[in-house]
Amino acid sequence: MSWKLFLRDYASFFIFQLLLVGFIMVLYWLDGFRNVDTAIYSVSISVVLLCSFLLVRYLMRQSYLMKISQLPKTMEDGLQKNAKTPEAVQTEKYMHELYRLYQHELHSLYASQKRHDQFMNQWVHQMKTPISVIELLLQDDRPLDKKNVQEEIDRLRRGLDMVLVNARLENFEEDMQVEQIALKTIVTATVNENKRLFITKRVFPEIHIEDDIIVASDSKWLRFIIGQFVTNAVKYTFEANKKIVISAIKKDEYIQLAICDEGIGIPASDLSRVTKAFFTGENGRKTGESTGMGLYLANEICEKLGHELDITSEVGKGTVITVTFTNKGEQE
């Protein structure tokens, strides 16, 4: 079948060459050249040379034509390197690069799907706990403890926020609106949202942020990452009457927001991996509530917003999470 493909490809070239030879013979005839034998000899030599050229061309392209004449059964079938002509060699390079891009996109999609499935499995498993607690409270004959119910509802709300953020992260640019934000206002609102968590854990927040500190960010996404840092700080502070200090400093080139807790701290061996997806570490295993996605999502959001995230910690003394806003907003 390869020769048929070759003939179809070069049929127009063959006809053009014959027409060209015929045109030259006509010009000679009109110019007075009347030697028929010489004309026949010239045409014959031209046809022989043309056929020889096409034969050599076919032999050079035969393996390549045979490869493309048959439909491949696997992707690797199309990546064989047997081209000899410059055009075929460049075509093979193009196909190899296309295959590499395809493999990269396929692996990215596979990793994204795997991460999503793993996150959903862990999330569903963890959401069973507050639902089970609420069911037990409702089955109890004693008066309903609204405080405990509210705590479990808060856990469900935080879990729902987490799964929604994970779903929206794929189309982050479509859901982002950068604006000038008063940092103290959004931090205060986030702390107030989690006040029941503070009261339950008997941990006290302190906010040291000047009113005129303005940052350029997305208020919804920034509220999520601050909320994640605050809830983590409270969750891993096991002793009562501890503090979580939220402060900000303003420099000419940047603004830094720091969330400092007095919790159990992060082991040095885990510190470099806490922003990896599904990494729970020693602390996550202690509480049994960690999905390993909170800091991962926060880090991803910071990168997309252009903010720098830094985490330092010392076991037994606490953790400091710092967000640097390099795109400082103007003072109002």
Side-chain angles (χ1 to χ4, degrees), residues 16-30:
F16 172 77
Q17 291 296 326
L18 292 180
L19 291 175
L20 182 62
V21 172
F23 177 73
I24 293 174
M25 292 297 103
V26 170
L27 286 179
Y28 277 112
W29 181 270
L30 295 176

mmCIF file of all heavy atoms in Angstrom, residues 16-30:
data_model
loop_
_atom_site.group_PDB
_atom_site.id
_atom_site.type_symbol
_atom_site.label_atom_id
_atom_site.label_comp_id
_atom_site.label_asym_id
_atom_site.label_seq_id
_atom_site.Cartn_x
_atom_site.Cartn_y
_atom_site.Cartn_z
ATOM 1 N N PHE A 16 3.353 17.137 -14.165
ATOM 2 C CA PHE A 16 3.960 18.445 -14.408
ATOM 3 C C PHE A 16 5.266 18.322 -15.184
ATOM 4 O O PHE A 16 5.541 19.100 -16.106
ATOM 5 C CB PHE A 16 4.191 19.151 -13.072
ATOM 6 C CG PHE A 16 4.977 20.424 -13.192
ATOM 7 C CD1 PHE A 16 4.374 21.582 -13.665
ATOM 8 C CD2 PHE A 16 6.321 20.465 -12.832
ATOM 9 C CE1 PHE A 16 5.098 22.762 -13.781
ATOM 10 C CE2 PHE A 16 7.047 21.639 -12.957
ATOM 11 C CZ PHE A 16 6.444 22.789 -13.429
ATOM 12 N N GLN A 17 6.095 17.329 -14.825
ATOM 13 C CA GLN A 17 7.373 17.135 -15.513
ATOM 14 C C GLN A 17 7.151 16.747 -16.974
ATOM 15 O O GLN A 17 7.870 17.224 -17.878
ATOM 16 C CB GLN A 17 8.190 16.062 -14.796
ATOM 17 C CG GLN A 17 8.708 16.470 -13.427
ATOM 18 C CD GLN A 17 9.694 17.628 -13.506
ATOM 19 O OE1 GLN A 17 10.456 17.737 -14.471
ATOM 20 N NE2 GLN A 17 9.667 18.483 -12.497
ATOM 21 N N LEU A 18 6.158 15.901 -17.239
ATOM 22 C CA LEU A 18 5.856 15.529 -18.629
ATOM 23 C C LEU A 18 5.377 16.740 -19.427
ATOM 24 O O LEU A 18 5.769 16.937 -20.589
ATOM 25 C CB LEU A 18 4.803 14.417 -18.660
ATOM 26 C CG LEU A 18 5.242 13.043 -18.130
ATOM 27 C CD1 LEU A 18 4.089 12.051 -18.221
ATOM 28 C CD2 LEU A 18 6.458 12.514 -18.910
ATOM 29 N N LEU A 19 4.524 17.549 -18.816
ATOM 30 C CA LEU A 19 4.045 18.757 -19.483
ATOM 31 C C LEU A 19 5.189 19.726 -19.754
ATOM 32 O O LEU A 19 5.235 20.398 -20.800
ATOM 33 C CB LEU A 19 2.956 19.438 -18.653
ATOM 34 C CG LEU A 19 1.622 18.696 -18.544
ATOM 35 C CD1 LEU A 19 0.684 19.420 -17.590
ATOM 36 C CD2 LEU A 19 0.978 18.544 -19.923
ATOM 37 N N LEU A 20 6.127 19.799 -18.802
ATOM 38 C CA LEU A 20 7.274 20.688 -18.970
ATOM 39 C C LEU A 20 8.151 20.243 -20.150
ATOM 40 O O LEU A 20 8.592 21.076 -20.970
ATOM 41 C CB LEU A 20 8.092 20.722 -17.672
ATOM 42 C CG LEU A 20 9.313 21.647 -17.662
ATOM 43 C CD1 LEU A 20 8.871 23.098 -17.870
ATOM 44 C CD2 LEU A 20 10.070 21.500 -16.343
ATOM 45 N N VAL A 21 8.419 18.937 -20.231
ATOM 46 C CA VAL A 21 9.203 18.408 -21.354
ATOM 47 C C VAL A 21 8.474 18.649 -22.677
ATOM 48 O O VAL A 21 9.071 19.061 -23.693
ATOM 49 C CB VAL A 21 9.502 16.911 -21.144
ATOM 50 C CG1 VAL A 21 10.141 16.305 -22.403
ATOM 51 C CG2 VAL A 21 10.406 16.707 -19.947
ATOM 52 N N GLY A 22 7.164 18.405 -22.669
ATOM 53 C CA GLY A 22 6.382 18.640 -23.879
ATOM 54 C C GLY A 22 6.405 20.101 -24.296
ATOM 55 O O GLY A 22 6.487 20.420 -25.492
ATOM 56 N N PHE A 23 6.335 21.004 -23.310
ATOM 57 C CA PHE A 23 6.379 22.442 -23.614
ATOM 58 C C PHE A 23 7.718 22.828 -24.250
ATOM 59 O O PHE A 23 7.763 23.611 -25.216
ATOM 60 C CB PHE A 23 6.142 23.228 -22.327
ATOM 61 C CG PHE A 23 6.245 24.714 -22.498
ATOM 62 C CD1 PHE A 23 5.254 25.426 -23.158
ATOM 63 C CD2 PHE A 23 7.347 25.403 -21.997
ATOM 64 C CE1 PHE A 23 5.357 26.803 -23.324
ATOM 65 C CE2 PHE A 23 7.444 26.766 -22.154
ATOM 66 C CZ PHE A 23 6.455 27.479 -22.823
ATOM 67 N N ILE A 24 8.814 22.269 -23.729
ATOM 68 C CA ILE A 24 10.147 22.560 -24.289
ATOM 69 C C ILE A 24 10.249 22.032 -25.719
ATOM 70 O O ILE A 24 10.801 22.702 -26.615
ATOM 71 C CB ILE A 24 11.235 21.942 -23.393
ATOM 72 C CG1 ILE A 24 11.253 22.649 -22.026
ATOM 73 C CG2 ILE A 24 12.605 22.050 -24.050
ATOM 74 C CD1 ILE A 24 12.183 22.028 -21.019
ATOM 75 N N MET A 25 9.705 20.828 -25.965
ATOM 76 C CA MET A 25 9.731 20.274 -27.327
ATOM 77 C C MET A 25 8.947 21.152 -28.291
ATOM 78 O O MET A 25 9.350 21.359 -29.448
ATOM 79 C CB MET A 25 9.142 18.848 -27.310
ATOM 80 C CG MET A 25 9.980 17.814 -26.582
ATOM 81 S SD MET A 25 11.612 17.545 -27.340
ATOM 82 C CE MET A 25 12.648 18.491 -26.187
ATOM 83 N N VAL A 26 7.821 21.682 -27.838
ATOM 84 C CA VAL A 26 7.013 22.569 -28.693
ATOM 85 C C VAL A 26 7.775 23.843 -29.028
ATOM 86 O O VAL A 26 7.748 24.337 -30.166
ATOM 87 C CB VAL A 26 5.674 22.896 -28.012
ATOM 88 C CG1 VAL A 26 4.936 24.011 -28.774
ATOM 89 C CG2 VAL A 26 4.800 21.664 -27.949
ATOM 90 N N LEU A 27 8.510 24.393 -28.034
ATOM 91 C CA LEU A 27 9.295 25.590 -28.291
ATOM 92 C C LEU A 27 10.373 25.324 -29.340
ATOM 93 O O LEU A 27 10.604 26.141 -30.259
ATOM 94 C CB LEU A 27 9.944 26.078 -26.995
ATOM 95 C CG LEU A 27 9.034 26.759 -25.968
ATOM 96 C CD1 LEU A 27 9.837 27.160 -24.727
ATOM 97 C CD2 LEU A 27 8.368 28.001 -26.566
ATOM 98 N N TYR A 28 11.054 24.190 -29.214
ATOM 99 C CA TYR A 28 12.065 23.825 -30.217
ATOM 100 C C TYR A 28 11.437 23.646 -31.598
ATOM 101 O O TYR A 28 12.030 24.032 -32.625
ATOM 102 C CB TYR A 28 12.803 22.553 -29.797
ATOM 103 C CG TYR A 28 13.929 22.793 -28.821
ATOM 104 C CD1 TYR A 28 13.846 22.342 -27.516
ATOM 105 C CD2 TYR A 28 15.086 23.458 -29.236
ATOM 106 C CE1 TYR A 28 14.874 22.558 -26.621
ATOM 107 C CE2 TYR A 28 16.132 23.682 -28.351
ATOM 108 C CZ TYR A 28 16.024 23.237 -27.030
ATOM 109 O OH TYR A 28 17.041 23.465 -26.152
ATOM 110 N N TRP A 29 10.261 23.041 -31.652
ATOM 111 C CA TRP A 29 9.575 22.802 -32.926
ATOM 112 C C TRP A 29 9.214 24.128 -33.605
ATOM 113 O O TRP A 29 9.418 24.306 -34.806
ATOM 114 C CB TRP A 29 8.328 21.971 -32.675
ATOM 115 C CG TRP A 29 7.549 21.637 -33.922
ATOM 116 C CD1 TRP A 29 6.541 22.344 -34.500
ATOM 117 C CD2 TRP A 29 7.756 20.513 -34.756
ATOM 118 N NE1 TRP A 29 6.079 21.745 -35.630
ATOM 119 C CE2 TRP A 29 6.823 20.584 -35.818
ATOM 120 C CE3 TRP A 29 8.640 19.416 -34.714
ATOM 121 C CZ2 TRP A 29 6.746 19.639 -36.831
ATOM 122 C CZ3 TRP A 29 8.530 18.477 -35.726
ATOM 123 C CH2 TRP A 29 7.615 18.588 -36.764
ATOM 124 N N LEU A 30 8.696 25.075 -32.788
ATOM 125 C CA LEU A 30 8.338 26.381 -33.330
ATOM 126 C C LEU A 30 9.558 27.177 -33.762
ATOM 127 O O LEU A 30 9.481 28.045 -34.647
ATOM 128 C CB LEU A 30 7.525 27.181 -32.300
ATOM 129 C CG LEU A 30 6.160 26.608 -31.930
ATOM 130 C CD1 LEU A 30 5.510 27.432 -30.826
ATOM 131 C CD2 LEU A 30 5.246 26.553 -33.159
#
